[in-house]
Amino acid sequence: MSATSSETKIALINARVFDGRRLSEPRTVVIDGTVIGTDPADARTVDAGGAALLPGLIDSHIHLHGRETLDQLLGYGVTTGLDMGTWPPELLASLRGLPGSADVRSAGIPAIGPDGPHSHIPGRPDDAVVRDPDQARRYVTARISEGSDYIKIVLEAPGEGGLTQETASALVGAAHAEGKRVVAHAVSAGAYTMALDVGADVITHVPLGPPLDTVQVARIAADGRVVVPTLTMMEGITAAIGQAEAFAGPLRSVTLLHQAGVPVLAGTDANARPGVPFHPPHGESLHHELELLVSAGLSPAEALRAATALPARHFGLTDRGTIAPGLRADLILIDGDPVADIRATRNIVRVWCGGTEHGPARP
């Protein structure tokens, strides 16, 4: 997969545009440099032939591992990746703003407790460990100086040696004081409760085991929290430990969250890190995530919004997520109708990222 075109202006005719709910009748979308324009004059014409045109997809939970990560994302129409833990800072900086590559936002180094399971991740940096509330502000200041777009905190199950509630609260307070969102890792009911208690803005993953109870779900909805369930990762873990039937719990949690009106974002936890029990492939796994979201009760249109407009809204990416003049020309052309059958998102014909065309991934 490689960039094939960065022409100044293209008039994409006969495209059925996804507006967040349905596909339009065939119409023209202008790609004017890096953004969506309005005037087709002097543009090269490309006939979409009635194919579906979607905003570029956003994966709300990935881990970066080099330039190949960005290429893999683009090959599957993922034009923006929200990274939830990459180090060292020099690696992250090298992957930002690369011409012709998927765009990334990142938490940088996540905050973990001194004795929890995540403290044993191979190669984790020493300054990821936050031992007490007094260290929290220094941690947040360091991440912001390194360019973190939001702060990630890892909450373990009670008694597992993770961040204490006081330390997690101090991290959230310090981040909010600097205008940064906080994403909380939580894979247990107890960690979910802590995420709510400390005021995290986004909770990533859903519990492994029994689904969230109705009281927790109601509180998540009432508190205005956002959830990135990473069903692909939850499914992969349950299969890896030989308990595939346990995936029913995470799936049910998403059903309950969606029914309660909680914003559910599409994220995969795509990674290639040693010591992690499952490695969803970058790019390709987001299409599986969309299918799992539909299995959990979202309509195909709702699943598409979970990978476009909703993450753009909840992560403050005001220049993308929909197809409208002035926004980034992040677009994917699909052979089929993904509003009728979400599996059609896999039938990628063309990808544009910031106005540059890329070929889709090939088997």
Side-chain angles (χ1 to χ4, degrees), residues 119-307:
S119 67
H120 303 295
I121 292 176
R124 64 105 175 129
D126 290 340
D127 55 354
V129 177
V130 184
R131 292 178 168 80
D132 55 55
D134 291 340
Q135 190 184 346
R137 181 167 294 281
R138 297 194 301 274
Y139 168 89
V140 170
T141 299
R143 299 294 80 74
I144 292 174
S145 71
E146 293 164 358
S148 293
D149 300 288
Y150 37 84
I151 300 299
K152 168 85 174 291
I153 62 175
V154 177
L155 304 180
E156 311 284 11
E160 286 193 346
L163 296 168
T164 66
Q165 183 159 324
E166 293 74 17
T167 301
S169 292
L171 286 163
V172 173
H176 285 173
E178 297 292 340
K180 297 296 184 182
R181 294 170 176 82
V182 176
V183 179
H185 163 106
V187 295
S188 70
Y192 251 73
T193 296
M194 186 187 291
L196 295 171
D197 289 344
V198 303
D201 304 288
V202 180
I203 307 174
T204 190
H205 309 305
V206 283
L208 285 167
L212 293 164
D213 64 41
T214 55
V215 173
Q216 283 180 309
V217 170
R219 184 180 174 192
I220 294 165
D223 289 355
R225 302 297 187 245
V226 178
V227 175
V228 186
T230 67
L231 285 173
T232 296
M233 174 57 94
M234 301 298 101
E235 181 186 47
I237 292 174
T238 56
I241 63 177
Q243 298 179 13
E245 69 280 359
F247 182 58
L251 202 64
R252 178 62 178 165
S253 288
V254 174
T255 301
L256 295 172
L257 290 165
H258 177 61
Q259 290 174 345
V262 175
V264 173
L265 311 187
T268 63
D269 204 358
N271 74 91
R273 189 172 298 285
V276 176
F278 183 64
H279 301 103
H282 291 85
E284 181 182 6
S285 59
L286 187 60
H287 298 273
H288 185 58
E289 186 74 18
L290 296 179
E291 293 158 9
L292 290 175
L293 291 176
V294 171
S295 296
L298 279 69
S299 70
E302 289 168 335
L304 291 173
R305 289 200 298 275

Side-chain angles (χ1 to χ4, degrees), residues 15-24 50-57 76 286-287 290-291 293-295 298-308 323 331-349:
R16 301 179 65 203
V17 178
F18 179 63
D19 66 2
R21 298 188 179 278
R22 59 187 64 85
L23 297 180
S24 71
L53 188 67
L54 309 180
L57 301 178
Y76 289 92
L286 187 60
H287 298 273
L290 296 179
E291 293 158 9
L293 291 176
V294 171
S295 296
L298 279 69
S299 70
E302 289 168 335
L304 291 173
R305 289 200 298 275
T308 54
I323 299 175
L331 303 164
I332 53 174
L333 197 63
I334 301 294
D335 181 11
D337 183 352
V339 177
D341 183 353
I342 195 63
R343 294 172 297 180
T345 62
R346 295 178 180 272
N347 302 329
I348 299 172
V349 179

Side-chain angles (χ1 to χ4, degrees), residues 17-39:
V17 178
F18 179 63
D19 66 2
R21 298 188 179 278
R22 59 187 64 85
L23 297 180
S24 71
E25 293 299 314
R27 65 181 182 88
T28 298
V29 172
V30 177
I31 300 172
D32 192 349
T34 62
V35 301
I36 298 169
T38 57
D39 182 7

